[in-house]
Amino acid sequence: MSADPAWIAADWGSSHLRLWLMDEDGGVLERRQSDRGASALDPDGFGAALTGLLGADRPGAGLVICCGMAGAREGWAEAPHAAVPCPPLSAAGAAVVFVDGLRVHLLPGLKQAAPADVMRGEETQIAGVLADAPDFDGVLCLPGTHTKWAHVSAGEVVSFRTFMTGELFALLTERSVLRHAMGSGGWDEAAFAAALDRAMSGPAGVAADLFAIRAEDLLQGLPPGAARARASGLLIGLELAAARPYWLGRDIRIVGEAGIAAAYRAALAAQGVPAATVPAETATLAGLVAAHARIATDAP
Amino acid sequence: MSADPAWIAADWGSSHLRLWLMDEDGGVLERRQSDRGASALDPDGFGAALTGLLGADRPGAGLVICCGMAGAREGWAEAPHAAVPCPPLSAAGAAVVFVDGLRVHLLPGLKQAAPADVMRGEETQIAGVLADAPDFDGVLCLPGTHTKWAHVSAGEVVSFRTFMTGELFALLTERSVLRHAMGSGGWDEAAFAAALDRAMSGPAGVAADLFAIRAEDLLQGLPPGAARARASGLLIGLELAAARPYWLGRDIRIVGEAGIAAAYRAALAAQGVPAATVPAETATLAGLVAAHARIATDAP
């Protein structure tokens, strides 16, 4: 490539490492990705994974700004969680590691004392949304393996709550007896809507309603797209029933990948709640750019 | 051994094969077990697994009576489910296979049209309880991988409902992010009781309350015995909240292995519901003896 990057933005999750080679103005010169996620690396493997993906393309002042699990206790170096209520990006608190001429800032996550909760990575997406809308007062829904609902006001994360919905869906559809009823694809909108309704009106029954997917498939045959959408609708319905204080009467934005964001958007629309959607990667990158502006300003 | 067995009782579940060499009077001459469960076998592997475990000890008339997944569609030969309401043991309906001089009766399971549900193996345990208490009118709770609640009256299974509680517990404690908080042992009774209460009074929140186990472990450290008991209490509480129509104001008996039966017994006791416990294997064997009496009488 022609121009050297000014700095490097990095999103280092459990299962992936994404890098963006950035220019001075927050523009992206190039995007790279590897599957060397944090959960696949020992603490001393992070440096080589980063420099390997960067190759000869080194940023001007060596600056890398990184969010995600690389900053977890079992990651590269621990950037301790900041306690809410607080802004999503702390001025202090980043762990800084040096490797091969690079200065890597690992951004801290957020924690909440009661109910006990943690996030790491989503705080940067929240900062990205706030960079575009500093006066946003409402709730962000960040669906994923561990879906977060975050109440944001006056530039701070006031409170948040994590639901294991995505991980439960993956375990149930891939590893439980329900896997026999799931094909590789397909999605039945009506089955999703019916299951969502059922779980919201009777959330306690979800462990039985899930088994009924298996039973109905055995007894009557059930199209895989209906089975998959029903499992999703039941789990999201269980979540929405509990997250009602977060979404009722609030300004809601969904930050997520296209498929899961669409499911949550449909689920909220069924409750009469409109929600704008921000692509996950857009929010992450905007948050890293905001962190860069802060760190570049603070630098000696 | 000295005496030849009169017949063979068999419990062929997904993960195990148990045989009892029986005398004419329903007494057990010998018990054997192997790990050649139905889910590990192709249809043509069942015969060899059975004769291999029996060895030279062949029953007088070659009769084997078998409950469990060997009679499933993907098992040895399908014994189609009988539809409730019906007695737990159908006079007809067994699939009969012949192998190496043996005549093997595979007992049918039960099915329910709405809500769609199935059982295979538990019907024999229910028959075992009824063999001892023919006038039992109440509800049997059969905890396990897929916990069943069965309403029994006038010698019939009237209705039943399956909860994926046991499988969810295994997936969450062994394969989800919660596994980091679980040690190999330990059990905190008070944590179980508190989590049970919490899930029963707010069942919708269980996907968030589960994640809080992980968060609390990260932030404050949580003894493994408390983490494990909390996960169990949340999942059993979710189930009890939905199964209330089954246990409220009914005569309850729990049929299960000692550990899980004790957890359900404690959970029901906390609701003011006393429940007698029948060991799972006692019920299975009594049901197979009842089936033998029926089949021996019906035989030409």
Side-chain angles (χ1 to χ4, degrees):
Chain A
M1 41 175 288
S2 47
D4 276 344
W7 62 285
I8 306 296
D11 173 18
W12 211 324
S14 298
S15 58
H16 66 265
L17 165 61
R18 281 188 201 113
L19 298 181
W20 296 269
L21 282 55
M22 306 295 292
D23 67 20
E24 281 296 353
D25 306 317
V28 174
L29 300 170
E30 193 180 333
R31 176 189 187 280
R32 295 180 189 171
Q33 180 161 343
S34 97
D35 59 1
R36 304 192 69 181
S39 63
L41 294 170
D42 289 324
D44 57 6
F46 284 83
L50 175 62
T51 55
L53 189 56
L54 266 185
D57 299 309
R58 296 310 176 90
L63 183 61
V64 179
I65 301 192
C66 178
C67 68
M69 298 308 288
R73 192 175 305 167
E74 60 276 20
W76 192 351
E78 186 176 9
H81 300 92
V84 295
C86 66
L89 286 183
S90 305
V96 182
V97 287
F98 297 89
V99 58
D100 200 15
L102 298 172
R103 177 165 54 97
V104 185
H105 289 245
L106 302 170
L107 300 179
L110 300 182
K111 67 179 176 184
Q112 176 175 273
D117 216 330
V118 289
M119 68 167 71
R120 194 175 282 282
E122 294 90 350
E123 76 295 329
T124 301
Q125 298 181 317
I126 297 172
V129 172
L130 286 178
D132 266 1
D135 298 329
F136 178 75
D137 190 314
V139 168
L140 298 183
C141 170
L142 305 106
T145 302
H146 299 145
T147 297
K148 314 282 180 187
W149 292 81
H151 179 206
V152 173
S153 184
E156 296 198 327
V157 177
V158 178
S159 68
F160 66 101
R161 196 86 172 100
T162 303
F163 294 78
M164 293 188 70
T165 307
E167 188 164 19
L168 282 168
F169 180 76
L171 289 171
L172 285 164
T173 57
E174 293 164 19
R175 297 186 183 269
S176 87
V177 70
L178 300 189
R179 70 186 184 281
H180 303 298
M182 307 288 156
S184 54
W187 186 263
D188 181 331
E189 275 301 341
F192 175 79
L196 182 82
D197 265 7
R198 182 168 174 87
M200 289 197 68
S201 59
V206 74
D209 292 335
L210 284 165
F211 188 79
I213 295 172
R214 163 69 170 163
E216 205 167 310
D217 184 47
L218 270 179
L219 297 179
Q220 304 154 29
L222 191 63
R228 177 172 299 276
R230 245 167 86 168
S232 175
L234 289 171
L235 292 171
I236 293 178
L238 181 69
E239 176 182 331
L240 286 196
R244 202 181 300 264
Y246 275 94
W247 55 258
L248 196 68
R250 307 268 200 172
D251 186 2
I252 307 286
R253 297 200 190 169
I254 300 168
V255 181
E257 311 280 349
I260 187 67
Y264 275 78
R265 188 174 172 143
L268 285 166
Q271 320 314 315
V273 175
T277 299
V278 182
E281 193 164 314
T282 302
T284 301
L285 191 53
L288 289 167
V289 168
H292 173 255
R294 182 88 52 95
I295 286 167
T297 306
D298 289 354
Chain B
M1 44 176 286
S2 47
D4 277 344
W7 63 284
I8 307 294
D11 173 18
W12 210 326
S14 297
S15 58
H16 66 263
L17 165 61
R18 284 190 199 109
L19 298 181
W20 296 269
L21 281 56
M22 307 294 293
D23 68 20
E24 280 296 353
D25 306 315
V28 174
L29 300 171
E30 192 180 333
R31 177 188 187 280
R32 294 179 190 173
Q33 180 161 343
S34 98
D35 59 2
R36 305 193 69 182
S39 63
L41 294 170
D42 290 325
D44 57 5
F46 284 83
L50 175 62
T51 54
L53 189 56
L54 264 185
D57 298 308
R58 296 311 177 87
L63 183 62
V64 179
I65 302 192
C66 178
C67 67
M69 298 307 288
R73 194 177 304 167
E74 61 276 20
W76 192 352
E78 186 176 7
H81 300 93
V84 295
C86 67
L89 286 181
S90 306
V96 182
V97 288
F98 297 89
V99 58
D100 199 15
L102 299 173
R103 175 165 55 97
V104 184
H105 289 244
L106 302 169
L107 300 179
L110 300 182
K111 67 180 175 184
Q112 177 175 276
D117 217 329
V118 289
M119 70 168 68
R120 193 175 283 284
E122 294 89 350
E123 77 295 328
T124 301
Q125 297 179 317
I126 297 172
V129 172
L130 285 178
D132 267 1
D135 298 327
F136 178 74
D137 191 313
V139 166
L140 298 182
C141 171
L142 305 107
T145 302
H146 299 146
T147 297
K148 315 281 180 186
W149 291 81
H151 177 205
V152 174
S153 182
E156 296 197 328
V157 177
V158 179
S159 68
F160 66 100
R161 198 85 171 101
T162 304
F163 293 78
M164 293 186 70
T165 307
E167 187 164 19
L168 282 168
F169 180 75
L171 289 171
L172 285 165
T173 56
E174 292 164 20
R175 296 184 184 269
S176 86
V177 70
L178 300 190
R179 71 186 183 280
H180 302 298
M182 307 288 155
S184 55
W187 186 264
D188 179 332
E189 274 304 338
F192 175 79
L196 182 83
D197 264 6
R198 181 167 175 88
M200 290 198 67
S201 58
V206 75
D209 292 334
L210 285 165
F211 187 79
I213 295 172
R214 163 70 170 162
E216 204 167 310
D217 184 46
L218 270 178
L219 297 179
Q220 303 155 27
L222 191 65
R228 176 172 300 275
R230 245 167 87 167
S232 176
L234 288 171
L235 292 170
I236 293 178
L238 181 69
E239 176 181 329
L240 286 197
R244 201 180 302 264
Y246 275 95
W247 55 258
L248 196 66
R250 307 268 200 171
D251 186 1
I252 308 285
R253 299 201 189 170
I254 299 168
V255 180
E257 311 280 349
I260 186 66
Y264 274 78
R265 188 172 172 146
L268 285 166
Q271 319 313 315
V273 175
T277 299
V278 182
E281 192 164 314
T282 302
T284 301
L285 191 54
L288 288 165
V289 167
H292 173 256
R294 183 87 51 92
I295 286 166
T297 307
D298 289 356

